[in-house]
Structures are given as structure tokens and as C-alpha cells.
Amino acid sequence: MSRTRFAPDRGLARRMVSTMFLIGLLYVVLVGVLVALLGNAWPMIVLLVGGMFIAQFWFSDRIAAFSMGAREVTPEQAPELHGAVDRLCALADMPKPRVAIADSDVPNAFATGRSQQKSLVCATTGLMRRLEPEELEGVIAHELSHVAHRDVAVMTIASFLGVLAGLITRIALWGGLTRGNNRDNGLGIALLVIPLVSAVVYVISFLLTRLLSRYRELSADRAAALLTGRPSALAAALTKVTGEMARIPTRDLRQVEPYNAFYFAPAFSGSSLSKLMSSHPTLEQRLDQLGRISAQLGRP
């Protein structure tokens, strides 16, 4: 990655490499099964899967930003947000990303982009209205850390296989239902094996991305706290945002829940099983880490 003043995280780098290797292996297995079962249709399979992968990599940031309602703003339109990004980029010695605002009362922020030069950082109106300037800077530093460490790009690529496997499963099941009892030329075997393999691939890729996502959130908290030197401000922002989530209508939280992996804080904390599958570590884990960093820095 391009050099910045964000604290490097070798543990995150190792996990990203391991995740990408395993995701790539699953990708090869999935394509191999499709080619083996669908025979002469393999050129179309390779073209389709390759096209989807390229589209996901090149346009995922725009798709995600559009889906989450982000609109790019100028320094005149959002001086406070641009000021925070300017100060942090200068402090981190990194290129300034595009700055956006999402008109949502859900207090949150996210970053997208396959590189530092193509990145975008967005805060919701609900977040900006609720946080103090130091707290907002802590959240933005957290998001800029995702960009600097390139884990946003890795998560985008890693999540593609799960999306593809889920899509193939639905198509295969739908095809099986619409074809009824037709089992000629091995079609019945293919209709049984394809959704089964796709479902297994989806579950494994889901677990891999969740494990990486939880670690990368802790890494971003750590890097942001060390860069700003104010872990208590980030802890205050985390506590405030998590508490405010309980006051947001469930309907609004459900709308943003599919994008939890991109957000600063998840829309739902949920049950023990939900926490196990969550894209984020628990609030207690994040605050505990920030408390240790405060002690190391000698800050209250």
C-alpha cells in the first residue's frame, strides 16, 4: 500500500492475504464444478463470471455509494466535514478522498474505493448532527484507515464470491423448480449438485469475510486512535452512535443493514448468534482496546 502515517498492521495484512487466497481457491472450485457439470457451456460460464468480477471490482464503490444514498459535496456545502478530512489527510500524509454526505438519520459513516486515489468517505447527516468535532474526526480517521490499509478493496473482492454463489444457488433452484421432473442427460444431477456446492461456497466465503471484517474494524479503531492521539474521542463517538441506534426506527435500520460491513457501526447488535455472525466486534471489545491505547498514550 502507499505509505501513510497510519500505524501499519501486519496482522491485518496477513489476514487479508489469507482471506484472498482462500476466496480465490473457492472461486476456482465453484467455476470448476460449473464447467464439469455444464460441459460445453464453460466458455459462457467463464465470460459471465469474469465479467461479473470485473464489474464488481471497478464499479462496486459507485454502486455501494449510490445504494447508501451518498452524494458528493464541496467544501462550501460541507465545510465542517471537509475540514476534518483535510486535517486528517494532512496528518496521515495521504491523498484526499472524495467527500460525500448521505441524507439519513441513522448515525453512521463509511468508506469505499479500490485505491486511495479512487476512494470516497461519507458521513450521514444523523452522524454529523450528533457528534462533537473531535468525535467526528475520530470516526473519519477510522474510515480513512480502511482506505489506507486497502481493506475496503479486499472486502469488496472477497464479498463478490458470496454474492455470486448466492446468485447461482437461486438460479439453479429456480431452474429446478421450473423444469419439474426433467432429469434427462444428467440435468437432475446438475440441478442437485450446483445449488449444494454454491451454498457451501457461500457459507464459507461468508464466514471468511465476517472474520476479516471484525478484525479490520478493530485495526481501524487502533490506527485512528494512534493517528489522532485521542482514543477517548473515538470511544465517545462509538458509545454515542451505538446508543443512538436504539432510537432509530426499525424500518430505517433494516434499510441500511445490508451494508453493515461498510459502516462504522452496525445497524443492529442482535442476539448472541447475530453477534457471532456480525461484521463488527462488540462495543465492549472496541472500547476495551481504546482504553488500553489510552493507557499506553498516557491519555485520560
Side-chain angles (χ1 to χ4, degrees):
M1 75 180 184
S2 301
R3 295 279 184 180
T4 71
R5 294 196 181 101
F6 277 107
D9 192 323
R10 292 187 178 87
L12 177 62
R14 287 194 299 269
R15 283 169 172 80
M16 288 194 296
V17 171
S18 299
T19 299
M20 290 305 298
F21 173 78
L22 293 173
I23 288 290
L25 186 60
L26 286 173
Y27 191 83
V28 171
V29 169
L30 180 60
V31 173
V33 169
L34 291 176
V35 170
L37 291 175
L38 300 181
N40 294 331
W42 71 265
M44 184 62 67
I45 296 169
V46 173
L47 285 175
L48 178 62
V49 173
M52 290 178 64
F53 178 81
I54 293 171
Q56 172 80 358
F57 181 73
W58 285 97
F59 301 111
S60 60
D61 55 340
R62 299 178 190 177
I63 294 171
F66 175 80
S67 301
M68 290 183 270
R71 58 178 178 85
E72 200 168 342
V73 292
T74 65
E76 292 73 26
Q77 292 171 317
E80 180 184 358
L81 183 58
H82 267 276
V85 174
D86 285 334
R87 286 189 295 274
L88 290 167
C89 285
L91 187 60
D93 191 23
M94 66 181 290
K96 183 181 178 181
R98 290 174 292 141
V99 179
I101 290 177
D103 187 15
S104 170
D105 193 45
V106 179
N108 235 317
F110 66 88
T112 67
R114 60 184 182 274
S115 68
Q116 291 185 22
Q117 289 70 29
K118 300 292 183 179
S119 61
L120 176 143
V121 172
C122 178
T124 66
T125 52
L127 182 80
M128 296 175 64
R129 186 171 62 253
R130 290 174 172 89
L131 298 189
E132 299 297 325
E134 285 190 356
E135 296 169 349
L136 179 62
E137 282 200 6
V139 174
I140 299 302
H142 171 104
E143 298 304 329
L144 289 174
S145 170
H146 285 315
V147 175
H149 289 150
R150 293 181 183 259
D151 55 84
V152 169
V154 171
M155 281 295 295
T156 297
I157 297 171
S159 63
F160 167 74
L161 183 63
V163 173
L164 177 63
L167 178 63
I168 291 173
T169 302
R170 287 192 293 272
I171 291 174
L173 290 174
W174 180 83
L177 291 174
T178 56
R179 287 178 174 82
N181 293 321
N182 185 355
R183 293 296 180 264
D184 295 338
N185 299 322
L187 179 61
I189 297 176
L191 291 175
L192 176 64
V193 174
I194 289 175
L196 180 61
V197 172
S198 298
V200 171
V201 168
Y202 173 80
V203 170
I204 295 175
S205 63
F206 177 86
L207 293 175
L208 287 173
T209 52
R210 283 297 181 269
L211 289 172
L212 175 61
S213 183
R214 287 200 290 270
Y215 185 90
R216 82 186 188 105
E217 293 301 330
L218 289 172
S219 176
D221 284 346
R222 174 179 174 273
L226 292 175
L227 180 75
T228 61
R230 293 192 295 267
S232 59
L234 182 57
L238 270 169
T239 304
K240 190 176 292 185
V241 166
T242 304
E244 289 293 323
M245 287 293 184
R247 304 182 183 182
I248 304 298
T250 302
R251 180 186 62 184
D252 295 340
L253 294 178
R254 290 292 182 194
Q255 290 177 349
V256 302
E257 189 179 13
Y259 310 105
N260 267 349
F262 287 96
Y263 278 125
F264 170 68
F268 289 95
S269 57
S271 62
S272 297
L273 180 59
S274 298
K275 290 176 181 177
L276 180 65
M277 298 297 185
S278 175
S279 58
H280 290 64
T282 64
L283 176 64
E284 291 75 17
Q285 289 174 310
R286 298 175 78 174
L287 293 180
D288 181 63
Q289 176 182 245
L290 290 172
R292 294 196 302 271
I293 294 173
S294 290
Q296 292 170 6
L297 296 177
R299 298 290 180 88

